[in-house]
Amino acid sequence: MHEVAICEALLGQLVALAGQHGWSRLVRVWVRLGLLSGVVPEALEFAFTALSAGTPAEGAELVLETEPGHFACAVCGELELASFDFACPLCGGPLQLLRAGRDLLLCEVEPILS
Ligand SMILES: [Zn+2]
């Protein structure tokens, strides 16, 4: 499963961060998903819960946010959408994808300071 490998990389980053800062536990972790990352949020959450056991991220809340993609509508111009679509949600005009993220980005971490 794609998400397990991604989650292992994410946890590696979190464990390294926690080690650097001396954090014993993390409360919340914010992650941005690129529109084209292909990550299924539910699968990532499941993997996170399973793989974080025994790490500082165990029990932390994973907050996932989808990074919008930039589309060009032939009728109303450029717009940002958080889901992939071929028709403009405003006017129904044809959409062309200009750019969208493919990455998963660790944004912020809230530790328990002890
Ligand atoms: Zn439009």
Side-chain angles (χ1 to χ4, degrees):
M1 203 165 67
H2 182 53
E3 281 77 9
V4 171
I6 288 175
C7 193
E8 278 172 349
L10 176 66
L11 280 167
Q13 266 180 285
L14 290 174
V15 168
L17 265 178
Q20 272 169 29
H21 296 272
W23 299 331
S24 55
R25 291 289 302 274
L26 304 176
V27 184
R28 215 167 276 127
V29 176
W30 282 268
V31 169
R32 271 170 89 94
L33 297 174
L35 191 59
L36 298 179
S37 65
V39 171
V40 179
E42 292 75 17
L44 187 65
E45 280 166 9
F46 183 80
F48 186 81
T49 304
L51 296 174
S52 62
T55 75
E58 181 175 355
E61 185 189 347
L62 184 63
V63 184
L64 297 173
E65 199 180 292
T66 304
E67 186 188 344
H70 293 259
F71 293 83
C73 170
V75 181
C76 53
E78 191 171 333
L79 58 155
E80 287 192 350
L81 295 177
S83 63
F84 194 79
D85 216 341
F86 295 100
C88 177
L90 303 175
C91 70
L95 283 183
Q96 190 196 349
L97 180 65
L98 295 178
R99 59 184 189 278
R102 291 178 184 276
D103 304 324
L104 177 142
L105 211 70
L106 176 62
C107 284
E108 216 183 315
V109 170
E110 183 186 336
I112 294 180
L113 297 173
S114 57

XYZ file of all heavy atoms in Angstrom:
842
model
N 0.854 -1.205 0.000
C 0.000 0.000 0.000
C 0.890 1.257 0.000
O 1.782 1.403 0.824
C -0.919 -0.031 1.225
C -2.168 0.800 1.077
S -3.410 0.408 2.343
C -2.608 0.966 3.842
N 0.646 2.111 -0.951
C 1.279 3.409 -1.140
C 1.343 4.217 0.173
O 2.368 4.769 0.534
C 0.390 4.111 -2.171
C 0.813 5.457 -2.609
N 2.073 5.724 -3.092
C 0.130 6.617 -2.668
C 2.124 7.004 -3.427
N 0.969 7.568 -3.180
N 0.231 4.255 0.891
C 0.131 5.079 2.099
C 1.055 4.620 3.218
O 1.478 5.419 4.038
C -1.324 5.109 2.608
C -2.227 6.053 1.845
C -2.657 5.479 0.494
O -2.398 4.288 0.224
O -3.253 6.234 -0.294
N 1.339 3.313 3.283
C 2.212 2.801 4.347
C 3.620 3.363 4.178
O 4.225 3.847 5.134
C 2.220 1.253 4.366
C 3.295 0.739 5.310
C 0.854 0.728 4.793
N 4.128 3.357 2.943
C 5.470 3.885 2.674
C 5.517 5.379 2.975
O 6.479 5.889 3.566
C 5.846 3.622 1.222
N 4.482 6.101 2.577
C 4.409 7.540 2.824
C 4.377 7.811 4.321
O 5.051 8.701 4.834
C 3.156 8.136 2.139
C 3.385 8.151 0.634
C 2.838 9.519 2.657
C 2.192 8.587 -0.159
N 3.603 6.991 5.015
C 3.446 7.164 6.451
C 4.753 6.869 7.180
O 5.097 7.548 8.152
C 2.337 6.250 6.942
S 1.829 6.657 8.590
N 5.489 5.874 6.712
C 6.783 5.559 7.329
C 7.736 6.743 7.181
O 8.460 7.085 8.109
C 7.389 4.305 6.690
C 6.796 3.038 7.289
C 7.209 1.772 6.556
O 7.785 1.866 5.457
O 6.931 0.691 7.101
N 7.722 7.377 6.014
C 8.581 8.540 5.782
C 8.166 9.692 6.696
O 9.005 10.374 7.289
C 8.504 8.958 4.317
N 6.862 9.885 6.810
C 6.330 10.951 7.668
C 6.715 10.712 9.125
O 7.181 11.626 9.821
C 4.801 11.001 7.509
C 4.047 11.982 8.393
C 4.399 13.417 8.032
C 2.537 11.781 8.265
N 6.559 9.472 9.585
C 6.909 9.152 10.972
C 8.408 9.300 11.218
O 8.811 9.728 12.302
C 6.449 7.727 11.319
C 4.959 7.626 11.661
C 4.512 6.178 11.668
C 4.660 8.286 12.992
N 9.191 8.983 10.196
C 10.639 9.169 10.320
C 10.965 10.630 10.576
O 11.784 10.969 11.440
N 10.279 11.521 9.841
C 10.474 12.964 10.020
C 10.041 13.390 11.420
O 10.699 14.197 12.069
C 9.577 13.725 9.029
C 10.227 14.099 7.720
C 9.217 14.852 6.862
O 8.302 14.251 6.310
N 9.354 16.151 6.769
N 8.913 12.856 11.872
C 8.363 13.239 13.176
C 9.271 12.772 14.317
O 9.503 13.514 15.272
C 6.962 12.638 13.359
C 5.879 13.241 12.468
C 4.580 12.462 12.623
C 5.657 14.709 12.809
N 9.785 11.553 14.204
C 10.660 11.011 15.245
C 11.956 11.837 15.300
O 12.445 12.177 16.383
C 10.949 9.510 14.989
C 12.071 9.003 15.889
C 9.674 8.683 15.216
N 12.472 12.211 14.110
C 13.688 13.018 14.063
C 13.443 14.395 14.689
O 14.265 14.892 15.476
C 14.157 13.163 12.614
N 12.306 14.996 14.363
C 11.950 16.304 14.932
C 11.830 16.238 16.451
O 12.321 17.099 17.169
C 10.592 16.752 14.375
C 10.559 17.661 13.168
C 9.100 17.924 12.783
C 11.250 18.993 13.486
N 11.123 15.209 16.907
C 10.911 15.044 18.345
C 12.259 14.873 19.054
O 12.476 15.444 20.127
C 9.998 13.841 18.609
N 13.162 14.102 18.419
C 14.487 13.894 19.003
C 15.272 15.191 19.091
O 15.871 15.507 20.114
N 15.221 15.984 18.002
C 15.949 17.253 17.947
C 15.494 18.225 19.024
O 16.273 18.966 19.595
C 15.681 17.947 16.606
C 16.612 17.550 15.484
C 16.089 18.079 14.147
O 15.420 19.101 14.101
N 16.392 17.369 13.076
N 14.154 18.250 19.244
C 13.585 19.242 20.152
C 13.329 18.700 21.551
O 12.867 19.436 22.414
C 12.277 19.785 19.568
C 12.474 20.534 18.274
N 12.758 21.875 18.232
C 12.463 20.116 16.993
C 12.905 22.252 16.954
N 12.727 21.194 16.184
N 13.570 17.431 21.745
C 13.336 16.835 23.055
C 11.862 16.687 23.402
O 11.488 16.756 24.570
N 11.031 16.496 22.369
C 9.601 16.297 22.620
C 9.343 14.828 22.922
O 9.753 13.955 22.158
C 8.762 16.677 21.395
C 8.896 18.105 20.983
C 9.170 19.166 21.794
C 8.754 18.635 19.657
N 9.221 20.323 21.048
C 8.960 20.027 19.735
C 8.455 18.056 18.417
C 8.891 20.857 18.626
C 8.383 18.876 17.314
C 8.598 20.270 17.419
N 8.628 14.571 24.023
C 8.348 13.168 24.354
C 7.084 12.671 23.664
O 6.966 11.493 23.324
C 8.226 13.001 25.872
O 7.252 13.887 26.377
N 6.137 13.569 23.476
C 4.881 13.171 22.832
C 4.393 14.277 21.906
O 4.646 15.451 22.140
C 3.776 12.928 23.890
C 3.988 11.709 24.759
C 3.773 10.409 24.001
N 2.434 10.320 23.431
C 1.375 9.859 24.099
N 1.482 9.476 25.336
N 0.198 9.779 23.500
N 3.683 13.884 20.865
C 3.062 14.851 19.960
C 1.555 14.772 20.131
O 0.995 13.688 20.300
C 3.428 14.530 18.510
C 4.929 14.469 18.217
C 5.165 14.055 16.785
C 5.587 15.813 18.499
N 0.914 15.917 20.114
C -0.539 15.959 20.279
C -1.222 15.981 18.918
O -2.220 15.305 18.687
C -0.962 17.245 21.040
C -2.465 17.248 21.303
C -0.189 17.372 22.331
N -0.666 16.785 18.010
C -1.328 16.996 16.733
C -0.280 17.206 15.643
O 0.749 17.836 15.897
C -2.217 18.240 16.845
C -3.500 18.156 16.063
C -4.461 19.264 16.466
N -5.234 18.915 17.648
C -5.350 19.652 18.753
N -4.743 20.796 18.853
N -6.084 19.242 19.762
N -0.587 16.690 14.483
C 0.327 16.791 13.352
C -0.475 17.269 12.140
O -1.497 16.679 11.808
C 0.956 15.403 13.045
C 1.822 15.463 11.811
C 1.750 14.896 14.239
N -0.021 18.365 11.524
C -0.717 18.896 10.354
C 0.034 18.522 9.080
O 1.249 18.752 8.987
C -0.806 20.417 10.413
C -1.852 20.939 11.333
C -3.144 21.252 11.018
C -1.694 21.234 12.736
N -3.799 21.720 12.146
C -2.940 21.711 13.204
C -0.631 21.116 13.636
C -3.152 22.093 14.526
C -0.837 21.481 14.953
C -2.083 21.969 15.389
N -0.690 17.985 8.135
C -0.082 17.555 6.885
C -0.925 18.055 5.720
O -2.149 18.014 5.754
C 0.014 16.005 6.848
C 0.395 15.515 5.471
C 1.011 15.506 7.881
N -0.245 18.570 4.714
C -0.937 18.998 3.493
C -0.720 17.968 2.402
O 0.404 17.527 2.172
C -0.379 20.340 3.009
C -1.077 21.530 3.600
C -0.304 22.766 3.245
N -0.756 23.317 1.985
C -1.677 24.273 1.897
N -2.213 24.768 2.972
N -2.040 24.737 0.736
N -1.794 17.613 1.745
C -1.715 16.654 0.652
C -1.873 17.383 -0.666
O -2.822 18.138 -0.854
C -2.872 15.644 0.744
C -2.929 14.732 1.961
C -4.208 13.919 1.923
C -1.719 13.836 1.976
N -0.941 17.167 -1.571
C -1.086 17.723 -2.909
C -2.254 17.054 -3.605
O -2.546 15.878 -3.363
N -2.923 17.804 -4.454
C -4.109 17.286 -5.146
C -3.771 16.035 -5.963
O -4.592 15.143 -6.121
C -4.655 18.386 -6.059
C -6.021 18.171 -6.677
C -7.083 17.992 -5.611
C -6.386 19.343 -7.564
N -2.565 15.975 -6.467
C -2.169 14.831 -7.300
C -1.274 13.843 -6.561
O -0.598 13.024 -7.172
C -1.457 15.325 -8.568
C -2.284 16.205 -9.494
C -1.458 16.634 -10.690
C -3.531 15.486 -9.954
N -1.259 13.932 -5.238
C -0.405 13.027 -4.468
C -0.903 11.590 -4.553
O -0.135 10.656 -4.347
C -0.343 13.466 -3.003
O -1.615 13.350 -2.399
N -2.178 11.417 -4.846
C -2.740 10.070 -4.939
C -2.949 9.413 -3.583
O -3.240 8.232 -3.502
N -2.808 10.198 -2.519
C -2.962 9.644 -1.173
C -4.439 9.610 -0.789
O -5.150 10.590 -0.960
C -2.170 10.494 -0.149
C -2.488 10.071 1.270
C -0.688 10.396 -0.424
N -4.869 8.459 -0.292
C -6.235 8.333 0.226
C -6.188 8.695 1.707
O -5.529 8.010 2.487
C -6.758 6.882 0.055
C -8.165 6.738 0.619
C -6.695 6.478 -1.407
N -6.830 9.810 2.108
C -6.706 10.268 3.500
C -7.039 9.187 4.530
O -6.316 9.037 5.515
C -7.704 11.432 3.573
C -7.804 11.940 2.178
C -7.637 10.728 1.297
N -8.093 8.425 4.298
C -8.497 7.400 5.268
C -7.405 6.338 5.421
O -7.145 5.855 6.525
C -9.801 6.711 4.842
C -11.038 7.600 4.893
C -11.118 8.604 3.747
O -10.396 8.420 2.730
O -11.873 9.584 3.862
N -6.788 5.973 4.309
C -5.739 4.954 4.356
C -4.517 5.484 5.096
O -3.861 4.766 5.847
C -5.360 4.520 2.939
N -4.231 6.777 4.898
C -3.086 7.382 5.577
C -3.343 7.459 7.086
O -2.459 7.168 7.888
C -2.806 8.774 5.005
C -1.537 9.435 5.512
C -0.304 8.650 5.075
C -1.412 10.865 5.024
N -4.560 7.821 7.464
C -4.917 7.889 8.888
C -4.781 6.518 9.535
O -4.271 6.382 10.645
C -6.362 8.398 9.053
C -6.454 9.900 8.935
C -7.893 10.392 8.751
O -8.835 9.591 8.875
O -8.047 11.586 8.465
N -5.245 5.505 8.825
C -5.186 4.131 9.335
C -3.724 3.711 9.534
O -3.351 3.180 10.580
C -5.897 3.193 8.358
C -5.943 1.775 8.822
C -6.888 1.363 9.755
C -5.032 0.844 8.331
C -6.917 0.047 10.197
C -5.056 -0.475 8.770
C -5.997 -0.873 9.702
N -2.901 3.988 8.533
C -1.490 3.619 8.603
C -0.801 4.379 9.737
O 0.032 3.830 10.466
C -0.797 3.918 7.269
N -1.177 5.637 9.896
C -0.565 6.471 10.938
C -0.854 5.896 12.323
O 0.038 5.780 13.162
C -1.103 7.905 10.827
C -0.441 8.883 11.752
C 0.776 9.448 11.420
C -1.035 9.245 12.958
C 1.400 10.358 12.271
C -0.421 10.148 13.816
C 0.802 10.704 13.467
N -2.110 5.530 12.545
C -2.493 4.963 13.843
C -1.717 3.671 14.100
O -1.203 3.446 15.199
C -4.013 4.678 13.859
O -4.691 5.894 13.556
C -4.477 4.191 15.210
N -1.616 2.831 13.076
C -0.955 1.535 13.247
C 0.559 1.689 13.432
O 1.147 1.045 14.299
C -1.255 0.649 12.044
N 1.174 2.557 12.641
C 2.640 2.639 12.624
C 3.227 3.549 13.701
O 4.411 3.483 13.992
C 3.123 3.126 11.255
C 2.823 2.200 10.069
C 3.215 2.885 8.768
C 3.572 0.892 10.214
N 2.386 4.429 14.273
C 2.928 5.381 15.247
C 3.061 4.764 16.635
O 3.645 5.384 17.518
C 2.052 6.639 15.315
O 0.753 6.305 15.755
N 2.535 3.571 16.828
C 2.620 2.920 18.138
C 4.081 2.809 18.578
O 4.932 2.386 17.795
C 1.985 1.536 18.072
N 4.346 3.251 19.785
C 5.703 3.160 20.312
C 6.608 4.320 19.915
O 7.770 4.362 20.287
N 6.087 5.283 19.130
C 6.855 6.473 18.768
C 6.247 7.690 19.487
O 5.143 7.591 20.040
C 6.810 6.757 17.240
O 5.521 7.292 16.930
C 7.033 5.496 16.422
N 6.942 8.828 19.470
C 6.362 10.028 20.105
C 5.037 10.453 19.470
O 4.283 11.229 20.047
C 7.437 11.099 19.888
C 8.705 10.340 19.690
C 8.308 9.070 18.994
N 4.750 9.955 18.276
C 3.515 10.346 17.580
C 2.334 9.446 17.936
O 1.228 9.649 17.445
C 3.741 10.319 16.070
N 2.572 8.473 18.802
C 1.480 7.572 19.175
C 0.341 8.359 19.818
O 0.564 9.160 20.712
C 1.980 6.504 20.159
C 0.877 5.531 20.537
C 1.369 4.377 21.437
O 2.580 4.292 21.691
O 0.509 3.587 21.853
N -0.867 8.161 19.310
C -2.043 8.824 19.864
C -2.238 10.245 19.355
O -3.221 10.893 19.705
N -1.312 10.748 18.540
C -1.445 12.116 18.029
C -2.566 12.176 16.993
O -2.836 11.200 16.299
C -0.133 12.566 17.402
N -3.184 13.332 16.929
C -4.236 13.538 15.941
C -3.583 13.953 14.627
O -2.758 14.871 14.599
C -5.188 14.636 16.423
C -6.378 14.847 15.516
C -7.185 16.099 15.895
O -6.951 16.653 16.997
O -8.021 16.518 15.086
N -3.937 13.291 13.549
C -3.390 13.627 12.233
C -4.415 14.513 11.517
O -5.539 14.105 11.283
C -3.153 12.339 11.444
C -2.490 12.465 10.083
C -1.086 13.011 10.198
C -2.464 11.098 9.392
N -4.020 15.752 11.225
C -4.929 16.677 10.560
C -4.495 16.801 9.101
O -3.403 17.277 8.812
C -4.923 18.073 11.236
C -5.949 18.990 10.585
C -5.189 17.949 12.726
N -5.344 16.341 8.198
C -4.996 16.342 6.775
C -5.746 17.446 6.050
O -6.925 17.664 6.261
C -5.370 14.992 6.148
C -4.623 13.790 6.706
C -5.203 12.514 6.144
C -3.141 13.889 6.401
N -5.017 18.134 5.226
C -5.592 19.251 4.488
C -5.201 19.049 3.024
O -4.043 18.783 2.736
C -4.914 20.508 5.021
C -5.625 21.794 4.765
C -4.803 22.927 5.368
O -4.701 22.999 6.609
O -4.247 23.702 4.583
N -6.163 19.156 2.138
C -5.824 19.005 0.725
C -5.435 20.352 0.140
O -6.162 21.331 0.278
C -7.009 18.419 -0.072
O -7.381 17.187 0.518
C -6.629 18.167 -1.515
N -4.281 20.378 -0.457
C -3.788 21.603 -1.089
C -4.551 21.784 -2.401
O -4.609 20.871 -3.215
C -2.298 21.422 -1.359
C -1.601 22.619 -1.880
C -0.172 22.257 -2.290
O 0.316 21.193 -1.882
O 0.424 23.035 -3.026
N -5.159 22.949 -2.627
C -5.925 23.124 -3.860
C -5.018 23.124 -5.098
O -3.856 23.487 -5.012
C -6.616 24.474 -3.699
C -6.081 25.090 -2.475
C -5.160 24.133 -1.784
N -5.600 22.711 -6.207
C -4.897 22.784 -7.474
C -5.334 24.029 -8.224
O -6.389 24.609 -7.933
N -4.527 24.463 -9.156
C -4.878 25.640 -9.962
C -5.416 25.182 -11.313
O -4.751 24.438 -12.011
C -3.659 26.533 -10.156
C -3.215 27.159 -8.891
N -3.498 28.459 -8.561
C -2.536 26.634 -7.832
C -2.995 28.711 -7.360
N -2.413 27.626 -6.905
N -6.607 25.649 -11.633
C -7.234 25.289 -12.891
C -7.516 26.555 -13.694
O -7.730 27.623 -13.125
C -8.582 24.585 -12.635
C -8.445 23.240 -11.980
C -8.292 23.134 -10.612
C -8.486 22.082 -12.731
C -8.168 21.892 -9.991
C -8.368 20.836 -12.134
C -8.209 20.741 -10.763
N -7.565 26.406 -14.991
C -7.973 27.524 -15.836
C -9.336 27.183 -16.434
O -9.500 26.150 -17.070
C -6.965 27.739 -16.951
N -10.307 28.060 -16.186
C -11.630 27.885 -16.782
C -11.665 28.737 -18.046
O -11.249 29.896 -18.037
C -12.709 28.338 -15.801
S -14.343 28.418 -16.560
N -12.161 28.163 -19.128
C -12.203 28.877 -20.406
C -13.122 30.092 -20.324
O -13.000 31.032 -21.100
C -12.665 27.927 -21.512
N -14.059 30.095 -19.366
C -15.019 31.190 -19.257
C -14.638 32.193 -18.166
O -14.566 33.394 -18.420
C -16.450 30.638 -18.999
C -17.467 31.769 -18.908
C -16.827 29.632 -20.071
N -14.356 31.717 -16.938
C -14.121 32.699 -15.873
C -12.674 32.833 -15.423
O -12.394 33.531 -14.462
C -15.085 32.496 -14.699
S -15.166 30.872 -14.012
N -11.751 32.183 -16.081
C -10.358 32.418 -15.731
C -9.797 31.377 -14.782
O -10.228 30.235 -14.775
N -8.841 31.818 -13.956
C -8.138 30.873 -13.098
C -8.853 30.682 -11.765
O -9.350 31.637 -11.188
C -6.709 31.379 -12.858
C -5.820 30.332 -12.198
C -4.344 30.741 -12.147
O -3.916 31.525 -13.021
O -3.661 30.293 -11.243
N -8.923 29.442 -11.317
C -9.491 29.200 -10.002
C -8.768 28.065 -9.297
O -8.043 27.304 -9.914
C -11.011 28.951 -10.060
C -11.583 27.832 -10.894
C -12.921 27.414 -10.321
C -11.802 28.285 -12.317
N -8.984 27.995 -7.972
C -8.357 26.958 -7.164
C -9.425 25.995 -6.702
O -10.481 26.408 -6.236
C -7.716 27.582 -5.918
C -6.471 28.364 -6.205
C -5.712 28.708 -4.916
O -6.274 28.486 -3.828
O -4.590 29.191 -5.021
N -9.145 24.708 -6.840
C -10.106 23.701 -6.400
C -9.398 22.650 -5.560
O -8.283 22.259 -5.854
C -10.742 23.001 -7.611
C -11.606 23.845 -8.545
C -12.076 23.002 -9.715
C -12.805 24.418 -7.809
N -10.089 22.200 -4.512
C -9.489 21.186 -3.641
C -9.798 19.772 -4.116
O -9.420 18.799 -3.482
C -9.979 21.383 -2.212
N -10.517 19.645 -5.214
C -10.739 18.322 -5.777
C -10.548 18.401 -7.282
O -10.678 19.466 -7.881
C -12.140 17.810 -5.442
O -13.105 18.641 -6.028
N -10.246 17.275 -7.876
C -9.949 17.261 -9.299
C -11.244 17.249 -10.097
O -12.136 16.468 -9.839
C -9.104 16.035 -9.631
C -8.478 16.128 -10.984
C -7.341 16.897 -11.176
C -9.036 15.481 -12.059
C -6.762 17.009 -12.428
C -8.463 15.584 -13.315
C -7.325 16.355 -13.504
N -11.366 18.147 -11.049
C -12.597 18.208 -11.838
C -12.307 18.668 -13.263
O -11.297 19.286 -13.526
C -13.580 19.178 -11.177
C -15.011 18.691 -11.328
O -15.273 17.852 -12.206
O -15.862 19.170 -10.568
N -13.234 18.360 -14.160
C -13.053 18.732 -15.563
C -13.990 19.845 -15.993
O -13.836 20.417 -17.053
C -13.250 17.512 -16.476
C -12.203 16.460 -16.260
C -12.465 15.358 -15.486
C -10.926 16.613 -16.804
C -11.489 14.391 -15.260
C -9.949 15.663 -16.586
C -10.223 14.551 -15.817
N -14.997 20.134 -15.135
C -15.936 21.210 -15.453
C -15.909 22.228 -14.324
O -15.785 21.879 -13.151
C -17.348 20.651 -15.629
N -16.018 23.500 -14.687
C -15.967 24.581 -13.705
C -17.190 24.523 -12.788
O -18.320 24.463 -13.265
C -15.921 25.916 -14.446
S -15.954 27.339 -13.351
N -16.971 24.539 -11.446
C -18.113 24.491 -10.519
C -18.916 25.787 -10.526
O -20.054 25.818 -10.063
C -17.452 24.257 -9.156
C -16.058 24.735 -9.312
C -15.683 24.553 -10.759
N -18.351 26.871 -11.051
C -19.055 28.160 -11.076
C -19.919 28.308 -12.315
O -21.076 28.714 -12.242
C -18.054 29.318 -11.012
C -17.110 29.320 -9.799
C -16.100 30.449 -9.919
C -17.901 29.444 -8.506
N -19.353 27.993 -13.479
C -20.092 28.254 -14.712
C -20.215 27.024 -15.616
O -20.868 27.093 -16.652
C -19.428 29.395 -15.482
S -17.840 28.916 -16.173
N -19.615 25.911 -15.224
C -19.715 24.698 -16.043
C -18.792 24.680 -17.241
O -18.823 23.755 -18.049
N -17.954 25.712 -17.382
C -17.016 25.793 -18.497
C -15.945 24.719 -18.395
O -15.740 24.141 -17.326
N -15.279 24.428 -19.502
C -14.236 23.402 -19.476
C -13.006 23.855 -18.683
O -12.573 24.998 -18.799
C -13.893 23.207 -20.962
C -14.339 24.453 -21.634
C -15.479 25.023 -20.832
N -12.483 22.957 -17.865
C -11.336 23.280 -17.027
C -10.081 22.616 -17.550
O -10.108 21.499 -18.027
C -11.561 22.747 -15.605
C -12.489 23.492 -14.691
C -12.491 22.811 -13.325
C -12.066 24.945 -14.536
N -8.994 23.353 -17.393
C -7.694 22.795 -17.720
C -6.846 22.885 -16.457
O -6.830 23.934 -15.807
C -7.086 23.622 -18.848
C -5.853 22.992 -19.440
C -5.053 23.994 -20.266
O -5.504 25.094 -20.562
N -3.843 23.602 -20.595
N -6.191 21.805 -16.098
C -5.346 21.833 -14.904
C -4.046 22.567 -15.205
O -3.333 22.217 -16.141
C -5.050 20.406 -14.439
C -4.172 20.268 -13.191
C -4.866 20.850 -11.969
C -3.806 18.810 -12.952
N -3.750 23.613 -14.456
C -2.503 24.355 -14.662
C -1.380 23.756 -13.827
O -0.338 23.400 -14.307
C -2.691 25.825 -14.277
C -3.680 26.623 -15.122
C -3.781 28.043 -14.588
C -3.246 26.646 -16.575
N -1.628 23.664 -12.537
C -0.631 23.018 -11.678
C -1.298 22.536 -10.394
O -2.288 23.105 -9.935
C 0.524 23.966 -11.360
C 0.126 25.235 -10.667
C 1.335 26.171 -10.485
N 0.975 27.288 -9.621
C 0.342 28.373 -10.070
N 0.008 28.477 -11.351
N 0.024 29.345 -9.246
N -0.737 21.477 -9.839
C -1.248 20.907 -8.604
C -0.117 20.150 -7.937
O 0.763 19.619 -8.604
C -2.417 19.967 -8.899
N -0.152 20.149 -6.609
C 0.915 19.483 -5.868
C 0.834 17.970 -5.953
O -0.250 17.400 -6.006
N 2.006 17.335 -5.993
C 2.068 15.872 -5.980
C 2.610 15.380 -4.648
O 2.780 14.183 -4.447
C 3.020 15.376 -7.080
C 2.495 15.607 -8.461
C 3.498 15.152 -9.512
N 2.990 15.472 -10.826
C 2.145 14.700 -11.496
N 1.758 13.562 -10.995
N 1.689 15.059 -12.675
N 2.938 16.313 -3.764
C 3.660 15.934 -2.560
C 2.779 15.908 -1.334
O 1.682 16.441 -1.315
C 4.792 16.935 -2.297
C 5.717 17.054 -3.471
O 5.957 16.032 -4.123
O 6.163 18.177 -3.744
N 3.369 15.306 -0.337
C 2.765 15.353 0.978
C 3.727 16.170 1.822
O 4.925 15.945 1.806
C 2.642 13.927 1.501
C 2.089 13.745 2.893
C 1.214 12.513 2.900
C 3.212 13.580 3.879
N 3.209 17.159 2.496
C 4.060 18.119 3.177
C 3.714 18.163 4.665
O 2.564 18.403 5.031
C 3.774 19.480 2.559
C 4.911 20.464 2.529
C 5.969 20.013 1.541
C 4.377 21.839 2.124
N 4.732 17.961 5.485
C 4.520 18.085 6.925
C 4.532 19.569 7.280
O 5.493 20.263 7.001
C 5.657 17.359 7.663
C 5.655 17.476 9.184
C 4.403 16.871 9.780
C 6.890 16.812 9.752
N 3.443 20.070 7.823
C 3.320 21.509 8.048
C 3.664 21.940 9.452
O 4.409 22.869 9.650
C 1.894 21.962 7.769
S 1.588 22.047 6.051
N 3.051 21.303 10.413
C 3.205 21.797 11.760
C 3.001 20.657 12.742
O 2.279 19.702 12.438
C 2.151 22.875 12.016
C 2.645 23.994 12.893
C 1.545 25.008 13.172
O 0.837 25.381 12.222
O 1.419 25.398 14.334
N 3.624 20.791 13.896
C 3.544 19.755 14.908
C 3.269 20.427 16.243
O 3.856 21.452 16.543
C 4.893 18.991 14.973
C 4.935 18.083 16.171
C 5.115 18.201 13.704
N 2.326 19.881 16.983
C 2.071 20.418 18.325
C 2.527 19.381 19.347
O 1.918 18.321 19.464
C 0.563 20.711 18.473
C 0.230 21.338 19.802
C -1.286 21.494 20.001
O -2.025 21.545 19.002
O -1.696 21.528 21.166
N 3.602 19.674 20.069
C 4.115 18.699 21.036
C 3.553 18.946 22.432
O 3.038 20.020 22.728
C 5.613 18.980 21.029
C 5.714 20.445 20.747
C 4.493 20.844 19.955
N 3.650 17.946 23.290
C 3.449 18.142 24.722
C 4.818 18.514 25.260
O 5.784 17.763 25.079
C 2.984 16.831 25.413
C 1.596 16.447 24.913
C 2.992 16.992 26.929
C 1.072 15.171 25.531
N 4.927 19.659 25.862
C 6.235 20.086 26.383
C 6.412 19.533 27.779
O 5.597 19.791 28.671
C 6.351 21.599 26.359
C 6.285 22.210 24.947
C 6.235 23.720 25.018
C 7.458 21.767 24.105
N 7.442 18.750 27.942
C 7.671 18.168 29.275
C 9.160 18.125 29.560
O 9.968 18.237 28.665
C 7.072 16.777 29.362
O 7.616 15.972 28.342
Zn -15.869 29.003 -14.985
